[in-house]
Amino acid sequence: MSELQSVLLLKKQLTELHKNPVEGFSAGLIDDNDIYKWEVLIIGPPDTLYEGGFFKAHLNFPKEYPLRPPKMKFVTEIWHPNIDKSGDVCISILHEPGDDKWGYEKASERWLPVHTVETILISVISMLADPNDESPANVDAAKDWRENYPEFKRKVARCVRKSQEDM
């Protein structure tokens, strides 16, 4: 796939999201002159610890998109087992395509070119509601989740409050 094709595909997905917004997030370009750098705002999903929060993240697409996945990084502080302390999101569908050299994931769980910005963000919202503490990016958050849930809830509530203040 050529760079021109990735540009056209990303423009099409952006237009589609603006015409038909999806509940739970909004997306746009960080800089109108760079289709490869997006900013998204994820609204904390209802009936989760993240409810009421406004979490900003960046999606950085490679020129080889959709053959390779984007990288996603939260710029709003967030406490979650699958988001490392610097904000990088660790979720199967954002892992490079093909077999996992460590054998944790099937190729079908990893990046596939059929994924769109919408499917990525819906997966991330789902991940907020249901963390995978078996393969954590933030070991401390996973430990809190498993062993000290009240402390986990307290740290998430602090992030939610801070996200509301930053809006």
Side-chain angles (χ1 to χ4, degrees), residues 27-46:
L29 300 181
I30 293 173
D31 170 356
D32 288 340
N33 297 317
D34 190 349
I35 192 71
Y36 292 105
K37 295 188 184 314
W38 292 38
E39 183 167 84
V40 297
L41 180 67
I42 293 180
I43 298 156

Side-chain angles (χ1 to χ4, degrees), residues 44-50 80 82 122-132 145 149 152:
D47 303 320
T48 71
L49 298 179
Y50 301 91
H80 190 281
N82 307 115
I122 288 170
S123 293
V124 169
I125 290 167
S126 173
M127 175 198 78
L128 289 177
D130 187 21
N132 173 4
W145 169 262
Y149 193 69
F152 180 82

Side-chain angles (χ1 to χ4, degrees), residues 74 77-80 83-88 137-141:
F74 277 90
E77 184 183 340
I78 190 164
W79 189 250
H80 190 281
I83 302 167
D84 74 16
K85 291 179 180 175
S86 65
D88 292 315
N138 181 334
V139 175
D140 294 332

Side-chain angles (χ1 to χ4, degrees), residues 62-129:
K63 304 268 191 262
E64 302 85 8
Y65 179 81
L67 300 178
R68 293 192 48 235
K71 303 255 184 269
M72 185 170 178
K73 182 183 194 91
F74 277 90
V75 292
T76 303
E77 184 183 340
I78 190 164
W79 189 250
H80 190 281
N82 307 115
I83 302 167
D84 74 16
K85 291 179 180 175
S86 65
D88 292 315
V89 175
C90 182
I91 188 172
S92 297
I93 69 162
L94 292 181
H95 294 164
E96 290 291 336
D99 291 323
D100 176 10
K101 63 182 173 186
W102 294 287
Y104 290 117
E105 301 167 331
K106 298 181 200 126
S108 62
E109 297 171 321
R110 295 166 70 89
W111 179 258
L112 296 168
V114 296
H115 286 300
T116 63
V117 173
E118 182 177 340
T119 63
I120 293 165
L121 294 175
I122 288 170
S123 293
V124 169
I125 290 167
S126 173
M127 175 198 78
L128 289 177

